[in-house]
Amino acid sequence: AVWAGGALKRIVPHITLLFTPSRLNVLTMSSSMQSSKSALAKASKAPPANVMAAYGVCMTAALAVFHFVAEGEFSAILTMSVIMQCLAVVLLLLQSHSSGSAAGISARALGLEALALVCRLSSTLWLNGYLPVDASGDHVFQAVDICTLVLVFGLLYQVLVVQRSTYQE
């Protein structure tokens, strides 16, 4: 115990010399410069064209529905939300196709999404539950939900059959 205390007294001054404020500033500046260079390299990499096209189509559809179909009614937010939900599934499909892998995609979550869509469609197709009161609730809402359901089933097929070998159980 005495030796350990003596060795510690001899090492502490050398350790404090290593971590002087001027040396710490140089270390943090160099690491922040490296991280900013890597962030700049990542930022300059543009998303693929098909991803940008998916965003563009969905944003254009949402704005068109809001302005022309719903005529600016606040309840069109519900229809725009199902359009964004459809965009989410499209982006998952694009990820699966571009990477050629099902890694990171949960089949159980997709199954629950399909179940939720089926339940919502059972309420909106022949009943008036959960529908916007504007004109977008007449057919657009249901059409986008049906499209999303078809995409979810397609993604489930892609994950569980086509890319089964890459699916993480």
Side-chain angles (χ1 to χ4, degrees):
V2 175
W3 179 84
L8 188 61
K9 286 180 185 175
R10 284 182 287 187
I11 294 174
V12 168
H14 297 290
I15 293 174
T16 55
L17 275 177
L18 287 175
F19 296 106
T20 61
S22 62
R23 288 187 184 215
L24 285 177
N25 285 339
V26 169
L27 288 174
T28 57
M29 282 178 30
S30 67
S31 67
S32 66
M33 286 173 45
Q34 289 173 352
S35 65
S36 66
K37 286 179 183 177
S38 64
L40 182 61
K42 289 179 184 176
S44 65
K45 184 181 175 187
N50 56 0
V51 171
M52 295 304 293
Y55 274 108
V57 167
C58 284
M59 294 302 162
T60 303
L63 288 173
V65 166
F66 181 73
H67 286 292
F68 300 118
V69 178
E71 297 174 348
E73 291 288 326
F74 182 73
S75 63
I77 295 292
L78 291 172
T79 307
M80 288 191 292
S81 72
V82 297
I83 292 172
M84 294 303 127
Q85 185 177 17
C86 186
L87 171 65
V89 176
V90 166
L91 291 175
L92 272 176
L93 267 168
L94 290 175
Q95 174 195 349
S96 174
H97 281 291
S98 67
S99 68
S101 170
I105 300 175
S106 170
R108 286 186 182 165
L110 289 173
L112 288 173
E113 179 71 22
L115 178 66
L117 287 165
V118 166
C119 289
R120 186 164 62 200
L121 280 167
S122 73
S123 174
T124 59
L125 282 176
W126 53 83
L127 302 171
N128 285 329
Y130 198 74
L131 282 174
V133 294
D134 58 45
S136 69
D138 292 339
H139 301 292
V140 177
F141 189 93
Q142 295 92 338
V144 174
D145 259 353
I146 291 169
C147 179
T148 305
L149 184 61
V150 168
L151 289 171
V152 167
F153 284 141
L155 188 55
L156 272 169
Y157 176 78
Q158 185 78 18
V159 166
L160 294 176
V161 176
V162 176
Q163 297 172 341
R164 179 75 176 173
S165 63
T166 62
Y167 180 63
Q168 299 168 332
E169 303 242 4

